[in-house]
Amino acid sequence: QPASALLSVRDITVRFGGIVALDCVSFDVPRNKVCGLIGPNGAGKTTLFNCLSRLYSYQSGDLQFDGQSITNTPVHEMPRIGVGRTFQNLAMFKTMTVRQNVMVGAHSCSNKGFIGNMLKTPSSRLEEKRLTDDANALMDYLKLSEYADNIVGDLPFGIQKRVEFARALAAKPKMLLLDEPAAGLNHTEMNDLGTFIRSVRDDMGITVLLVEHHMNLVMAVSDWIVVLNFGKKIAEGTPEEIQQHPEVIRAYLGDG
Ligand code: ATP
C-alpha cells in the first residue's frame, strides 16, 4: 500500500567501478512494521543501508522518506528528518560515558543543535532538561541506568549494543535502521533483542528496517521481508512466504 509506506526505495542502482552493488532495487517499507532485509554475503544490504543514511549516493533511482525525496538530503540532516541507525561495528564515543553517548543522540535531533543547547538561555535550559529527562527514561527502558556514568569502552559488548540502541532512539527516529544487531550476542541477549525490536514497533511506533543473518530472529520479528541477491531484489513477502520461496532457497543453498 504505497500511501502508508514510510520509505519507498525506487529503482536504486549503485555501482563501484565495474561492480553493480545494487541493480534497480525497489520496495516499500510500510509504517509501523518491522521489515527484514536479507540476502547472502555481498548481496548489497549494507550498500542499501548506506544509501538510506546518505553515506553513499546512488547513480540512479530515488528514496522517498515520509513522502519526501531524500536523494539530496545531507547526511547530518538524517536524524532530524527521522532516520536513525545502528552499525555493524558499533559507532559510539567509547571514551565517553553511557549518559553522554545517549545525550549526543538526543542533541542530534534537537532543533537548536548541540551548540544552541550549550548557550545558557532560559529556553535552552528548558530544552536541556527535556533532553536529559528523555535520556534518563531511555536508559531506564534499556536497563542501562546502573551504567549511566560508566565509560562505554569498559562495558561488555552486549551492554555496549544497548547503549547504541539508546543513542539511536534518543534522536526519536520515525525509522530505525538496524545493521546486524544480533552479531556477537549470546542466546539470551538474542532473545532480549527480539523482544526489544517488537517493543520499539509496538510501544514507540517506530518502523524498523533490519539487516540480519540470524534467520530465526528475522523470521520471528519481521512483518515483511525483502530478499536481495547479487544486488537484485529476488523476492519479498511475509516470513512464511519467504521461507518457501524457491528462488530464496536456491540463493541460500549457493547454486542460485
Ligand atoms: P554482507 O552480508 O557480507 O555484509 P552485503 O549484502 O551487506 O554483504 P554489500 O557490503 O552491500 O553486501 O556489498 C555489495 C557488493 O558491493 C559487494 O560485491 C561488495 O564487494 C561491493 N562493495 C560494497 N561497498 C563497496 C565499496 N565501498 N567499494 C567497492 N565495492 C563495494
Side-chain angles (χ1 to χ4, degrees):
Q1 324 100 309
S4 64
L6 179 60
L7 173 72
S8 272
V9 176
R10 287 280 157 268
D11 303 324
I12 291 291
T13 295
V14 176
R15 288 183 215 93
F16 298 106
I19 297 169
V20 184
L22 290 173
D23 189 359
C24 222
V25 171
S26 294
F27 62 92
D28 282 346
V29 179
R31 273 171 215 277
N32 204 207
K33 300 281 182 205
V34 175
C35 179
L37 180 62
I38 66 170
N41 289 332
K45 306 179 295 293
T46 304
T47 301
L48 184 61
F49 256 38
N50 286 338
C51 291
L52 286 171
S53 41
R54 306 297 302 113
L55 292 168
Y56 286 1
S57 46
Y58 21 96
Q59 273 79 31
S60 60
D62 190 26
L63 295 172
Q64 299 260 336
F65 181 75
D66 212 5
Q68 306 274 327
S69 171
I70 55 169
T71 292
N72 297 313
T73 306
V75 62
H76 63 268
E77 283 293 328
M78 296 311 285
R80 229 177 309 239
I81 69 163
V83 180
R85 79 171 281 183
T86 68
F87 291 82
Q88 221 168 312
N89 310 310
L90 304 178
M92 276 176 301
F93 299 99
K94 293 219 173 177
T95 58
M96 284 166 47
T97 66
V98 170
R99 184 191 305 283
Q100 287 167 333
N101 271 276
V102 178
M103 286 303 285
V104 168
H107 280 287
S108 70
C109 75
S110 165
N111 285 332
K112 295 175 192 301
F114 187 67
I115 301 296
N117 286 323
M118 300 303 282
L119 305 171
K120 297 296 179 208
T121 63
S123 82
S124 65
R125 270 181 221 273
L126 210 65
E127 172 78 346
E128 189 67 18
K129 164 131 183 28
R130 190 181 64 76
L131 296 179
T132 307
D133 290 348
D134 286 356
N136 286 339
L138 258 181
M139 287 190 290
D140 249 10
Y141 177 75
L142 282 159
K143 300 187 179 68
L144 288 168
S145 300
E146 62 181 296
Y147 309 106
D149 298 310
N150 287 58
I151 299 294
V152 167
D154 295 343
L155 293 167
F157 182 74
I159 295 176
Q160 291 194 24
K161 285 219 141 176
R162 296 218 299 272
V163 179
E164 212 199 7
F165 288 132
R167 184 207 27 84
L169 290 175
K172 298 192 187 314
K174 292 178 187 156
M175 174 176 247
L176 186 57
L177 310 173
L178 298 177
D179 195 354
E180 299 200 26
L185 296 187
N186 64 34
H187 188 71
T188 315
E189 289 168 337
M190 189 114 57
N191 282 340
D192 289 348
L193 174 64
T195 309
F196 167 75
I197 292 173
R198 275 187 284 254
S199 85
V200 162
R201 176 195 62 194
D202 297 338
D203 303 336
M204 299 185 176
I206 295 173
T207 303
V208 178
L209 185 59
L210 169 70
V211 165
E212 186 49 68
H213 282 288
H214 287 84
M215 282 307 135
N216 289 343
L217 178 67
V218 176
M219 295 299 163
V221 301
S222 300
D223 300 296
W224 193 251
I225 296 176
V226 173
V227 190
L228 298 180
N229 194 24
F230 294 115
K232 286 190 162 67
K233 182 180 82 179
I234 59 167
E236 62 179 315
T238 63
E240 295 71 31
E241 288 164 353
I242 291 303
Q243 284 177 78
Q244 292 163 13
H245 198 291
E247 210 175 329
V248 176
I249 296 168
R250 222 177 303 131
Y252 274 94
L253 290 177
D255 62 335

